[in-house]
């Protein structure tokens, strides 16, 4: 479901954006750029871990628009014996 994948990606990007803003504000208040990086990276890793655990089960909100697959078609080459097939000719170079 492509719409479910898009929703999951938008949620993930929103959480990452919020973590960057939180890290920036805290780093600005403490006047330490290192804290900005640490907070953003920690929240990014935590979000990635939690988000992978939350999106692995087939939740209904991600399966609202299932894909319609083509029906299975039988191939006609299975009935022929190898001797009945014509050999392929390759162009000479």
């Amino acid at each position: 479901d492509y719409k479910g994948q898009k929703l999951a990606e938008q949620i993930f990007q929103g959480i990452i954006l919020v973590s960057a803003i939180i890290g920036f504000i805290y780093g600005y208040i403490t006047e330490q750029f290192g804290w900005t990086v640490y907070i953003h990276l920690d929240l990014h890793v935590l979000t990635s871990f939690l988000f992978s655990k939350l999106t692995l089960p087939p939740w209904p909100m991600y399966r609202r628009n299932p894909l319609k697959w083509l029906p299975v078609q039988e191939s006609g080459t299975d009935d022929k014996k190898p001797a009945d097939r014509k050999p392929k000719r390759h162009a000479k170079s």
Side-chain angles (χ1 to χ4, degrees):
D1 175 353
Y2 293 116
K3 290 184 181 181
Q5 289 176 1
K6 183 179 179 183
L7 174 64
E9 182 69 22
Q10 287 174 341
I11 292 170
F12 183 71
Q13 288 177 356
I15 293 171
I16 294 301
L17 179 64
V18 169
S19 73
I21 291 170
I22 291 170
F24 178 76
I25 291 172
Y26 187 78
Y28 185 77
I29 291 171
T30 60
E31 298 180 3
Q32 294 288 325
F33 182 72
W35 280 108
T36 300
V37 174
Y38 292 140
I39 289 174
H40 178 64
L41 288 177
D42 288 346
L43 289 175
H44 187 15
V45 169
L46 181 67
T47 302
S48 297
F49 177 73
L50 290 176
F51 203 76
S52 68
K53 299 300 178 195
L54 291 176
T55 56
L56 285 179
W59 295 101
M61 65 184 202
Y62 298 127
R63 296 179 9 170
R64 290 185 183 158
N65 304 302
L67 298 175
K68 293 183 175 96
W69 296 90
L70 293 175
V72 177
Q73 296 178 355
E74 295 181 20
S75 63
T77 58
D78 294 340
D79 298 338
K80 294 183 180 180
K81 296 177 185 175
D84 295 342
R85 294 184 189 153
K86 293 182 180 178
K88 293 183 180 178
R89 296 189 179 233
H90 299 285
K92 295 181 181 179
S93 7

Coordinates of all heavy atoms in Angstrom, one line a residue:
D1 N 0.8 -1.2 0.0 CA 0.0 0.0 0.0 C 0.9 1.2 0.0 O 1.6 1.5 1.0 CB -0.9 -0.1 1.2 CG -1.8 1.1 1.5 OD1 -1.6 2.1 0.8 OD2 -2.6 1.0 2.4
Y2 N 0.9 1.9 -1.1 CA 1.8 3.1 -1.3 C 1.4 4.3 -0.4 O 2.2 5.0 0.1 CB 1.9 3.5 -2.7 CG 2.6 2.5 -3.6 CD1 1.9 1.8 -4.6 CD2 3.9 2.1 -3.3 CE1 2.6 0.9 -5.4 CE2 4.6 1.2 -4.1 CZ 3.9 0.6 -5.1 OH 4.5 -0.4 -5.9
K3 N 0.1 4.4 -0.2 CA -0.4 5.5 0.6 C 0.0 5.3 2.1 O 0.3 6.2 2.8 CB -1.9 5.7 0.5 CG -2.3 6.2 -0.9 CD -3.8 6.5 -1.0 CE -4.1 7.0 -2.4 NZ -5.5 7.2 -2.5
G4 N -0.1 4.0 2.5 CA 0.4 3.7 3.9 C 1.9 4.0 4.1 O 2.3 4.4 5.1
Q5 N 2.7 3.6 3.0 CA 4.1 3.9 3.1 C 4.4 5.4 3.2 O 5.2 5.9 3.9 CB 4.8 3.3 1.9 CG 4.9 1.8 1.9 CD 5.5 1.3 0.6 OE1 5.9 2.0 -0.3 NE2 5.6 0.0 0.5
K6 N 3.6 6.2 2.4 CA 3.7 7.6 2.4 C 3.4 8.2 3.8 O 4.1 9.1 4.3 CB 2.8 8.2 1.3 CG 3.0 9.7 1.2 CD 2.1 10.3 0.1 CE 2.2 11.8 0.0 NZ 1.3 12.3 -1.0
L7 N 2.3 7.7 4.4 CA 1.9 8.1 5.7 C 3.0 7.8 6.7 O 3.3 8.7 7.6 CB 0.6 7.5 6.1 CG 0.1 7.7 7.6 CD1 -0.2 9.2 7.8 CD2 -1.1 6.8 7.9
A8 N 3.5 6.6 6.7 CA 4.6 6.2 7.6 C 5.8 7.1 7.4 O 6.4 7.5 8.4 CB 5.0 4.8 7.4
E9 N 6.2 7.4 6.2 CA 7.3 8.3 5.9 C 7.1 9.7 6.5 O 8.0 10.3 7.0 CB 7.6 8.3 4.4 CG 8.8 9.2 4.1 CD 10.1 8.6 4.5 OE1 10.2 7.4 4.7 OE2 11.1 9.4 4.6
Q10 N 5.8 10.2 6.3 CA 5.5 11.6 6.8 C 5.6 11.6 8.3 O 6.1 12.6 8.9 CB 4.2 12.0 6.3 CG 4.1 12.3 4.8 CD 2.7 12.6 4.3 OE1 1.7 12.2 4.9 NE2 2.7 13.3 3.1
I11 N 5.1 10.6 9.0 CA 5.1 10.6 10.4 C 6.6 10.5 10.9 O 7.0 11.3 11.8 CB 4.4 9.3 11.0 CG1 2.9 9.5 10.7 CG2 4.6 9.2 12.5 CD1 2.0 8.3 11.0
F12 N 7.4 9.7 10.3 CA 8.8 9.6 10.6 C 9.5 10.9 10.4 O 10.3 11.4 11.3 CB 9.5 8.5 9.8 CG 10.9 8.2 10.1 CD1 11.2 7.7 11.3 CD2 11.9 8.6 9.3 CE1 12.6 7.4 11.7 CE2 13.2 8.4 9.6 CZ 13.6 7.8 10.8
Q13 N 9.3 11.6 9.3 CA 10.0 12.9 9.0 C 9.5 13.9 10.0 O 10.3 14.8 10.4 CB 9.7 13.3 7.6 CG 10.4 12.5 6.6 CD 10.1 12.9 5.1 OE1 9.3 13.8 4.9 NE2 10.8 12.3 4.2
G14 N 8.3 13.9 10.4 CA 7.8 14.9 11.4 C 8.4 14.7 12.7 O 8.8 15.7 13.4
I15 N 8.6 13.4 13.1 CA 9.3 13.2 14.4 C 10.7 13.6 14.4 O 11.2 14.2 15.3 CB 9.1 11.7 14.8 CG1 7.6 11.4 15.1 CG2 10.0 11.3 16.0 CD1 7.3 9.9 15.2
I16 N 11.4 13.3 13.3 CA 12.8 13.8 13.1 C 12.9 15.3 13.2 O 13.8 15.8 13.8 CB 13.4 13.2 11.8 CG1 13.5 11.7 11.9 CG2 14.8 13.7 11.6 CD1 14.3 11.1 13.1
L17 N 12.0 16.0 12.5 CA 12.0 17.4 12.5 C 11.8 18.0 13.9 O 12.5 18.9 14.4 CB 10.9 18.0 11.6 CG 10.8 19.5 11.5 CD1 12.1 20.1 10.9 CD2 9.6 19.9 10.7
V18 N 10.8 17.4 14.7 CA 10.6 17.8 16.0 C 11.8 17.6 16.9 O 12.2 18.4 17.7 CB 9.4 17.1 16.6 CG1 9.2 17.3 18.1 CG2 8.1 17.6 15.9
S19 N 12.5 16.4 16.7 CA 13.7 16.2 17.5 C 14.8 17.2 17.2 O 15.6 17.6 18.0 CB 14.2 14.7 17.3 OG 14.8 14.6 16.0
A20 N 14.9 17.6 15.9 CA 15.9 18.6 15.5 C 15.6 19.9 16.2 O 16.5 20.6 16.7 CB 16.0 18.7 14.0
I21 N 14.4 20.3 16.2 CA 14.0 21.5 16.8 C 14.2 21.5 18.3 O 14.8 22.5 18.9 CB 12.5 21.9 16.5 CG1 12.3 22.2 15.0 CG2 12.0 23.0 17.4 CD1 10.9 22.3 14.6
I22 N 13.9 20.4 19.0 CA 14.1 20.3 20.4 C 15.6 20.4 20.7 O 16.1 21.1 21.6 CB 13.6 19.0 21.0 CG1 12.0 19.0 21.0 CG2 14.1 18.7 22.4 CD1 11.4 17.7 21.3
G23 N 16.4 19.7 19.9 CA 17.9 19.7 20.1 C 18.4 21.1 19.9 O 19.3 21.6 20.6
F24 N 17.9 21.8 18.9 CA 18.4 23.2 18.6 C 18.1 24.1 19.7 O 18.9 24.9 20.2 CB 17.8 23.7 17.3 CG 18.2 25.1 17.0 CD1 19.5 25.3 16.5 CD2 17.4 26.1 17.2 CE1 19.9 26.6 16.2 CE2 17.7 27.4 16.9 CZ 19.0 27.7 16.4
I25 N 16.9 24.0 20.2 CA 16.4 24.9 21.3 C 17.3 24.7 22.6 O 17.8 25.6 23.2 CB 14.9 24.8 21.6 CG1 14.1 25.3 20.4 CG2 14.5 25.5 22.9 CD1 12.7 25.1 20.5
Y26 N 17.5 23.4 22.9 CA 18.2 23.1 24.1 C 19.7 23.5 23.9 O 20.3 24.1 24.8 CB 18.2 21.6 24.4 CG 18.8 21.3 25.7 CD1 18.2 21.5 26.9 CD2 20.1 20.7 25.8 CE1 18.8 21.2 28.2 CE2 20.7 20.4 27.0 CZ 20.1 20.7 28.2 OH 20.7 20.4 29.4
G27 N 20.2 23.3 22.8 CA 21.6 23.7 22.5 C 21.8 25.2 22.5 O 22.8 25.7 22.9
Y28 N 20.8 25.9 22.0 CA 20.8 27.4 22.0 C 20.8 27.9 23.5 O 21.5 28.8 23.8 CB 19.6 27.9 21.2 CG 19.7 29.4 21.0 CD1 20.5 30.0 20.1 CD2 18.8 30.2 21.8 CE1 20.6 31.4 20.0 CE2 18.8 31.6 21.7 CZ 19.7 32.2 20.8 OH 19.7 33.5 20.6
I29 N 19.9 27.3 24.3 CA 19.8 27.8 25.7 C 21.0 27.5 26.4 O 21.5 28.4 27.2 CB 18.6 27.1 26.3 CG1 17.3 27.6 25.7 CG2 18.6 27.3 27.9 CD1 16.0 26.8 26.2
T30 N 21.6 26.3 26.3 CA 22.9 26.0 27.0 C 24.1 26.5 26.3 O 25.2 26.4 26.9 CB 23.0 24.5 27.2 OG1 23.1 23.9 25.9 CG2 21.9 23.9 28.0
E31 N 24.0 27.1 25.1 CA 25.1 27.6 24.3 C 26.2 26.5 24.0 O 27.4 26.8 24.1 CB 25.7 28.8 25.0 CG 24.7 30.0 25.1 CD 25.3 31.2 25.8 OE1 26.6 31.2 26.1 OE2 24.6 32.2 26.0
Q32 N 25.7 25.3 23.8 CA 26.6 24.2 23.5 C 26.0 23.5 22.3 O 25.0 22.8 22.3 CB 26.6 23.2 24.7 CG 27.2 23.7 25.9 CD 28.8 23.8 25.7 OE1 29.4 23.0 25.0 NE2 29.3 24.8 26.4
F33 N 26.8 23.6 21.2 CA 26.3 22.9 19.9 C 26.4 21.4 20.0 O 25.6 20.7 19.4 CB 27.2 23.4 18.8 CG 26.8 22.8 17.4 CD1 25.7 23.3 16.8 CD2 27.6 21.8 16.8 CE1 25.3 22.7 15.6 CE2 27.2 21.3 15.6 CZ 26.0 21.7 15.0
G34 N 27.3 20.9 20.9 CA 27.4 19.5 21.1 C 26.1 18.9 21.6 O 25.7 17.8 21.2
W35 N 25.4 19.6 22.5 CA 24.1 19.1 23.0 C 23.1 19.0 21.9 O 22.3 18.1 21.9 CB 23.6 20.0 24.2 CG 24.3 19.7 25.4 CD1 25.2 20.4 26.1 CD2 24.1 18.5 26.2 NE1 25.7 19.8 27.2 CE2 25.0 18.6 27.3 CE3 23.4 17.3 26.1 CZ2 25.1 17.6 28.3 CZ3 23.4 16.3 27.1 CH2 24.3 16.5 28.1
T36 N 23.1 20.0 21.0 CA 22.2 19.9 19.9 C 22.4 18.6 19.1 O 21.4 18.0 18.7 CB 22.4 21.1 18.9 OG1 22.2 22.3 19.7 CG2 21.5 21.1 17.8
V37 N 23.6 18.3 18.8 CA 23.9 17.1 18.0 C 23.6 15.9 18.7 O 22.9 15.0 18.2 CB 25.4 17.1 17.6 CG1 25.8 15.8 16.9 CG2 25.7 18.3 16.7
Y38 N 23.9 15.8 20.0 CA 23.7 14.6 20.8 C 22.2 14.4 21.0 O 21.7 13.2 20.8 CB 24.3 14.7 22.2 CG 25.8 14.7 22.2 CD1 26.5 15.5 23.1 CD2 26.5 13.9 21.4 CE1 27.9 15.5 23.1 CE2 27.9 13.8 21.4 CZ 28.6 14.7 22.2 OH 29.9 14.6 22.2
I39 N 21.4 15.4 21.3 CA 20.0 15.2 21.4 C 19.3 14.8 20.1 O 18.5 13.9 20.1 CB 19.3 16.5 22.0 CG1 19.8 16.7 23.4 CG2 17.8 16.5 21.9 CD1 19.3 18.0 24.0
H40 N 19.7 15.4 19.0 CA 19.1 15.1 17.8 C 19.5 13.6 17.4 O 18.6 12.9 16.9 CB 19.6 16.0 16.7 CG 19.1 15.7 15.3 ND1 17.7 15.7 15.0 CD2 19.7 15.3 14.2 CE1 17.5 15.3 13.8 NE2 18.7 15.1 13.2
L41 N 20.7 13.3 17.5 CA 21.1 11.9 17.2 C 20.5 10.9 18.1 O 20.0 9.8 17.6 CB 22.6 11.7 17.3 CG 23.4 12.4 16.1 CD1 24.9 12.3 16.3 CD2 23.0 11.9 14.8
D42 N 20.4 11.1 19.4 CA 19.7 10.2 20.3 C 18.3 10.0 20.0 O 17.8 8.9 19.9 CB 19.9 10.7 21.8 CG 21.3 10.5 22.3 OD1 22.1 9.8 21.7 OD2 21.6 11.1 23.3
L43 N 17.6 11.1 19.7 CA 16.2 11.0 19.4 C 16.0 10.4 18.0 O 15.0 9.7 17.8 CB 15.5 12.4 19.4 CG 15.3 13.0 20.8 CD1 14.8 14.4 20.8 CD2 14.4 12.1 21.7
H44 N 16.9 10.6 17.1 CA 16.8 10.0 15.8 C 17.0 8.5 15.9 O 16.2 7.7 15.3 CB 17.9 10.5 14.9 CG 17.8 10.1 13.5 ND1 16.7 9.5 12.9 CD2 18.7 10.2 12.5 CE1 17.0 9.3 11.6 NE2 18.2 9.7 11.3
V45 N 17.9 8.0 16.7 CA 18.1 6.6 16.9 C 16.9 6.0 17.6 O 16.4 4.9 17.2 CB 19.4 6.3 17.7 CG1 19.5 4.8 18.1 CG2 20.6 6.7 16.8
L46 N 16.5 6.6 18.7 CA 15.3 6.1 19.4 C 14.1 6.1 18.5 O 13.3 5.1 18.5 CB 15.0 7.0 20.6 CG 13.9 6.6 21.5 CD1 14.1 5.3 22.2 CD2 13.5 7.7 22.5
T47 N 13.9 7.1 17.7 CA 12.7 7.1 16.8 C 12.8 6.0 15.8 O 11.8 5.4 15.5 CB 12.6 8.5 16.1 OG1 12.5 9.5 17.1 CG2 11.4 8.6 15.2
S48 N 14.0 5.8 15.2 CA 14.2 4.8 14.2 C 13.9 3.4 14.8 O 13.2 2.6 14.2 CB 15.6 4.8 13.7 OG 15.9 6.0 13.0
F49 N 14.4 3.2 16.0 CA 14.1 1.9 16.6 C 12.6 1.7 16.9 O 12.1 0.6 16.6 CB 14.9 1.8 17.9 CG 14.7 0.5 18.7 CD1 15.2 -0.7 18.2 CD2 13.9 0.5 19.9 CE1 14.9 -1.9 18.9 CE2 13.7 -0.6 20.5 CZ 14.2 -1.8 20.1
L50 N 12.0 2.7 17.6 CA 10.6 2.5 17.9 C 9.7 2.5 16.7 O 8.8 1.8 16.6 CB 10.2 3.7 18.8 CG 10.8 3.7 20.2 CD1 10.3 4.9 21.0 CD2 10.3 2.5 21.0
F51 N 10.1 3.3 15.7 CA 9.2 3.4 14.5 C 9.3 2.1 13.7 O 8.3 1.6 13.2 CB 9.7 4.5 13.6 CG 8.6 5.0 12.7 CD1 7.6 5.8 13.2 CD2 8.6 4.7 11.4 CE1 6.6 6.2 12.3 CE2 7.6 5.1 10.5 CZ 6.6 5.9 11.0
S52 N 10.5 1.4 13.7 CA 10.6 0.1 13.0 C 9.7 -0.9 13.7 O 9.1 -1.8 13.1 CB 12.0 -0.3 12.9 OG 12.5 -0.6 14.2
K53 N 9.6 -0.8 15.1 CA 8.8 -1.8 15.8 C 7.3 -1.5 15.7 O 6.5 -2.4 15.8 CB 9.2 -1.8 17.3 CG 10.6 -2.2 17.6 CD 10.9 -3.6 17.1 CE 12.4 -3.9 17.3 NZ 12.8 -5.0 16.6
L54 N 7.0 -0.2 15.5 CA 5.6 0.1 15.3 C 5.0 -0.1 13.9 O 3.8 -0.3 13.8 CB 5.4 1.6 15.7 CG 5.6 1.9 17.2 CD1 5.5 3.4 17.4 CD2 4.6 1.2 18.0
T55 N 5.9 -0.1 12.9 CA 5.4 -0.2 11.6 C 5.5 -1.7 11.0 O 5.0 -2.0 10.0 CB 6.1 0.7 10.6 OG1 7.5 0.4 10.7 CG2 5.8 2.1 10.9
L56 N 6.2 -2.5 11.7 CA 6.3 -3.9 11.2 C 5.0 -4.7 11.3 O 4.7 -5.4 10.3 CB 7.4 -4.7 12.0 CG 8.8 -4.3 11.6 CD1 9.8 -5.1 12.5 CD2 9.1 -4.5 10.2
P57 N 4.2 -4.6 12.3 CA 2.9 -5.3 12.3 C 2.0 -4.7 11.2 O 2.1 -3.5 10.9 CB 2.3 -5.1 13.7 CG 3.4 -4.6 14.5 CD 4.4 -4.0 13.6
P58 N 1.1 -5.5 10.6 CA 0.2 -4.9 9.5 C -0.9 -4.1 10.2 O -2.0 -4.6 10.3 CB -0.2 -6.2 8.8 CG -0.1 -7.3 9.8 CD 1.0 -6.9 10.7
W59 N -0.6 -2.9 10.6 CA -1.7 -2.1 11.2 C -2.7 -1.7 10.1 O -2.4 -1.4 9.0 CB -1.1 -0.8 11.7 CG -0.1 -1.0 12.9 CD1 1.2 -1.0 12.8 CD2 -0.5 -1.3 14.2 NE1 1.8 -1.3 14.0 CE2 0.7 -1.5 14.9 CE3 -1.7 -1.5 14.9 CZ2 0.8 -1.8 16.3 CZ3 -1.6 -1.8 16.3 CH2 -0.4 -1.9 16.9
P60 N -4.0 -1.6 10.5 CA -5.1 -1.2 9.5 C -4.9 0.1 8.9 O -5.3 0.4 7.8 CB -6.3 -1.3 10.4 CG -6.0 -2.1 11.6 CD -4.6 -1.9 11.8
M61 N -4.3 1.1 9.6 CA -4.1 2.4 9.1 C -3.1 2.5 7.9 O -3.2 3.4 7.1 CB -3.7 3.4 10.1 CG -2.3 3.2 10.7 SD -2.1 4.4 12.1 CE -0.3 4.4 12.1
Y62 N -2.3 1.5 7.8 CA -1.3 1.4 6.7 C -1.8 0.5 5.6 O -1.2 0.3 4.6 CB 0.0 0.9 7.2 CG 0.7 1.7 8.2 CD1 1.1 1.2 9.4 CD2 0.9 3.1 8.0 CE1 1.8 2.0 10.4 CE2 1.5 3.9 8.9 CZ 1.9 3.4 10.1 OH 2.5 4.2 11.0
R63 N -3.0 -0.2 5.8 CA -3.5 -1.1 4.8 C -4.8 -0.7 4.3 O -5.6 -1.5 3.9 CB -3.6 -2.5 5.4 CG -2.3 -3.0 5.8 CD -2.4 -4.4 6.4 NE -3.7 -5.0 6.4 CZ -4.0 -6.2 6.7 NH1 -3.0 -7.0 7.1 NH2 -5.2 -6.7 6.6
R64 N -5.1 0.6 4.2 CA -6.4 1.0 3.7 C -6.6 0.9 2.2 O -7.7 0.8 1.7 CB -6.6 2.5 4.2 CG -6.8 2.6 5.6 CD -7.2 4.1 6.0 NE -7.3 4.2 7.4 CZ -7.2 5.3 8.1 NH1 -6.9 6.4 7.5 NH2 -7.3 5.3 9.4
N65 N -5.5 1.0 1.5 CA -5.6 1.0 0.0 C -4.7 -0.2 -0.5 O -3.6 0.1 -1.0 CB -5.1 2.3 -0.5 CG -5.8 3.5 0.0 OD1 -7.1 3.5 -0.1 ND2 -5.2 4.4 0.7
P66 N -5.2 -1.4 -0.4 CA -4.3 -2.5 -0.9 C -4.1 -2.5 -2.4 O -5.0 -2.0 -3.1 CB -5.1 -3.8 -0.5 CG -6.5 -3.3 -0.4 CD -6.5 -1.8 0.0
L67 N -3.0 -3.0 -2.8 CA -2.7 -3.1 -4.3 C -3.5 -4.2 -4.9 O -3.7 -5.3 -4.3 CB -1.2 -3.3 -4.5 CG -0.3 -2.2 -3.9 CD1 1.1 -2.6 -4.1 CD2 -0.6 -0.9 -4.7
K68 N -3.9 -4.0 -6.1 CA -4.6 -5.1 -6.9 C -3.6 -5.7 -7.8 O -3.1 -5.1 -8.7 CB -5.8 -4.5 -7.7 CG -6.9 -4.0 -6.8 CD -8.1 -3.5 -7.6 CE -9.2 -3.1 -6.6 NZ -9.2 -1.7 -6.3
W69 N -3.3 -7.0 -7.5 CA -2.3 -7.7 -8.3 C -2.9 -8.3 -9.5 O -4.1 -8.7 -9.5 CB -1.6 -8.8 -7.5 CG -0.9 -8.2 -6.3 CD1 -1.3 -8.0 -5.1 CD2 0.5 -7.8 -6.3 NE1 -0.3 -7.4 -4.3 CE2 0.8 -7.3 -5.0 CE3 1.5 -7.8 -7.3 CZ2 2.1 -6.8 -4.7 CZ3 2.7 -7.3 -6.9 CH2 3.0 -6.8 -5.7
L70 N -2.2 -8.6 -10.6 CA -2.7 -9.2 -11.7 C -2.9 -10.7 -11.4 O -2.1 -11.3 -10.6 CB -1.7 -9.1 -12.9 CG -1.5 -7.7 -13.4 CD1 -0.4 -7.7 -14.5 CD2 -2.8 -7.2 -14.1
P71 N -3.8 -11.4 -12.1 CA -4.0 -12.8 -11.8 C -2.8 -13.6 -12.4 O -2.1 -13.2 -13.3 CB -5.3 -13.1 -12.6 CG -5.5 -12.0 -13.6 CD -4.8 -10.8 -13.0
V72 N -2.6 -14.8 -11.8 CA -1.5 -15.6 -12.3 C -1.9 -16.2 -13.7 O -3.0 -16.6 -13.9 CB -1.4 -16.8 -11.3 CG1 -0.3 -17.8 -11.8 CG2 -1.0 -16.3 -9.9
Q73 N -0.9 -16.1 -14.6 CA -1.1 -16.7 -15.9 C -0.2 -17.8 -16.1 O 1.0 -17.8 -15.7 CB -0.8 -15.6 -17.0 CG -1.7 -14.4 -16.9 CD -1.4 -13.3 -17.9 OE1 -0.4 -13.5 -18.6 NE2 -2.2 -12.3 -18.0
E74 N -0.7 -18.9 -16.8 CA 0.1 -20.0 -17.1 C 0.9 -19.7 -18.3 O 0.4 -19.2 -19.3 CB -0.8 -21.2 -17.3 CG -1.5 -21.7 -16.0 CD -2.4 -22.9 -16.3 OE1 -2.1 -23.6 -17.3 OE2 -3.3 -23.1 -15.5
S75 N 2.2 -20.2 -18.3 CA 3.0 -20.0 -19.5 C 2.8 -21.2 -20.4 O 2.6 -22.3 -20.0 CB 4.5 -19.9 -19.1 OG 4.9 -21.0 -18.4
G76 N 2.9 -20.9 -21.7 CA 2.7 -22.0 -22.7 C 3.9 -22.8 -23.0 O 3.9 -23.8 -23.7
T77 N 5.1 -22.4 -22.5 CA 6.3 -23.1 -22.8 C 6.5 -24.4 -22.0 O 7.4 -25.2 -22.3 CB 7.5 -22.2 -22.6 OG1 7.5 -21.8 -21.2 CG2 7.5 -21.0 -23.5
D78 N 5.7 -24.6 -20.9 CA 5.9 -25.7 -20.1 C 5.5 -27.0 -20.7 O 5.9 -28.1 -20.4 CB 5.1 -25.6 -18.7 CG 5.7 -24.5 -17.9 OD1 6.9 -24.1 -18.1 OD2 5.0 -24.0 -17.0
D79 N 4.5 -26.9 -21.7 CA 4.0 -28.1 -22.4 C 5.0 -28.7 -23.4 O 4.9 -29.9 -23.7 CB 2.7 -27.8 -23.1 CG 1.6 -27.3 -22.1 OD1 1.8 -27.6 -20.9 OD2 0.7 -26.6 -22.5
K80 N 5.9 -27.9 -23.9 CA 6.8 -28.4 -25.0 C 8.0 -29.1 -24.4 O 8.5 -28.8 -23.3 CB 7.3 -27.2 -25.8 CG 6.2 -26.5 -26.6 CD 6.8 -25.4 -27.4 CE 5.7 -24.7 -28.2 NZ 6.3 -23.6 -29.0
K81 N 8.4 -30.1 -25.1 CA 9.6 -30.9 -24.7 C 10.8 -30.1 -25.2 O 10.7 -29.3 -26.2 CB 9.6 -32.2 -25.3 CG 8.4 -33.1 -24.8 CD 8.4 -34.4 -25.6 CE 7.2 -35.2 -25.2 NZ 7.1 -36.5 -25.9
P82 N 11.9 -30.3 -24.6 CA 13.1 -29.6 -25.1 C 13.4 -29.8 -26.5 O 14.0 -29.0 -27.2 CB 14.2 -30.0 -24.1 CG 13.5 -30.5 -22.9 CD 12.2 -31.0 -23.4
A83 N 13.1 -31.0 -27.0 CA 13.4 -31.4 -28.4 C 12.5 -30.6 -29.4 O 12.8 -30.4 -30.5 CB 13.3 -32.9 -28.6
D84 N 11.3 -30.3 -29.0 CA 10.3 -29.6 -29.8 C 10.7 -28.1 -30.0 O 10.2 -27.5 -30.9 CB 8.9 -29.7 -29.2 CG 8.4 -31.2 -29.2 OD1 9.0 -32.0 -30.0 OD2 7.5 -31.5 -28.5
R85 N 11.4 -27.6 -29.1 CA 11.7 -26.1 -29.2 C 12.8 -25.9 -30.3 O 13.7 -26.7 -30.5 CB 12.3 -25.6 -27.9 CG 11.3 -25.7 -26.8 CD 11.9 -25.1 -25.5 NE 11.0 -25.3 -24.4 CZ 11.4 -25.4 -23.2 NH1 12.6 -25.2 -22.9 NH2 10.5 -25.6 -22.2
K86 N 12.6 -24.8 -31.0 CA 13.6 -24.4 -32.0 C 14.8 -23.7 -31.3 O 14.6 -23.0 -30.4 CB 13.0 -23.4 -33.0 CG 11.9 -24.0 -33.8 CD 11.4 -23.0 -34.8 CE 10.3 -23.6 -35.7 NZ 9.8 -22.6 -36.6
P87 N 16.0 -24.1 -31.7 CA 17.2 -23.4 -31.1 C 17.2 -22.0 -31.5 O 16.9 -21.6 -32.6 CB 18.4 -24.2 -31.7 CG 17.9 -24.8 -32.9 CD 16.4 -25.1 -32.7
K88 N 17.7 -21.2 -30.5 CA 17.8 -19.7 -30.8 C 19.1 -19.5 -31.6 O 20.1 -20.1 -31.3 CB 17.9 -19.0 -29.5 CG 16.6 -19.0 -28.7 CD 16.7 -18.2 -27.5 CE 15.4 -18.2 -26.7 NZ 15.5 -17.5 -25.4
R89 N 18.9 -18.6 -32.6 CA 20.1 -18.3 -33.4 C 20.5 -16.9 -33.0 O 19.7 -16.0 -32.9 CB 19.8 -18.3 -34.9 CG 19.4 -19.7 -35.3 CD 19.3 -19.7 -36.8 NE 19.0 -21.1 -37.2 CZ 19.7 -21.7 -38.1 NH1 20.7 -21.2 -38.7 NH2 19.4 -23.0 -38.4
H90 N 21.8 -16.7 -32.8 CA 22.4 -15.4 -32.4 C 23.0 -14.8 -33.7 O 23.5 -15.5 -34.6 CB 23.5 -15.6 -31.4 CG 22.9 -16.2 -30.1 ND1 22.2 -15.5 -29.2 CD2 23.0 -17.4 -29.6 CE1 21.8 -16.3 -28.2 NE2 22.4 -17.5 -28.4
A91 N 22.8 -13.5 -33.7 CA 23.4 -12.8 -34.9 C 24.9 -12.8 -34.8 O 25.6 -12.8 -33.8 CB 23.0 -11.3 -34.8
K92 N 25.5 -13.0 -36.0 CA 26.9 -13.1 -36.1 C 27.5 -11.7 -36.1 O 26.9 -10.7 -36.7 CB 27.4 -13.8 -37.4 CG 27.0 -15.2 -37.5 CD 27.4 -15.8 -38.8 CE 27.0 -17.3 -38.8 NZ 27.4 -17.9 -40.0
S93 N 28.6 -11.5 -35.4 CA 29.2 -10.2 -35.4 C 30.4 -10.0 -36.3 O 31.0 -10.9 -36.7 CB 29.7 -9.8 -34.0 OG 29.6 -10.7 -33.1

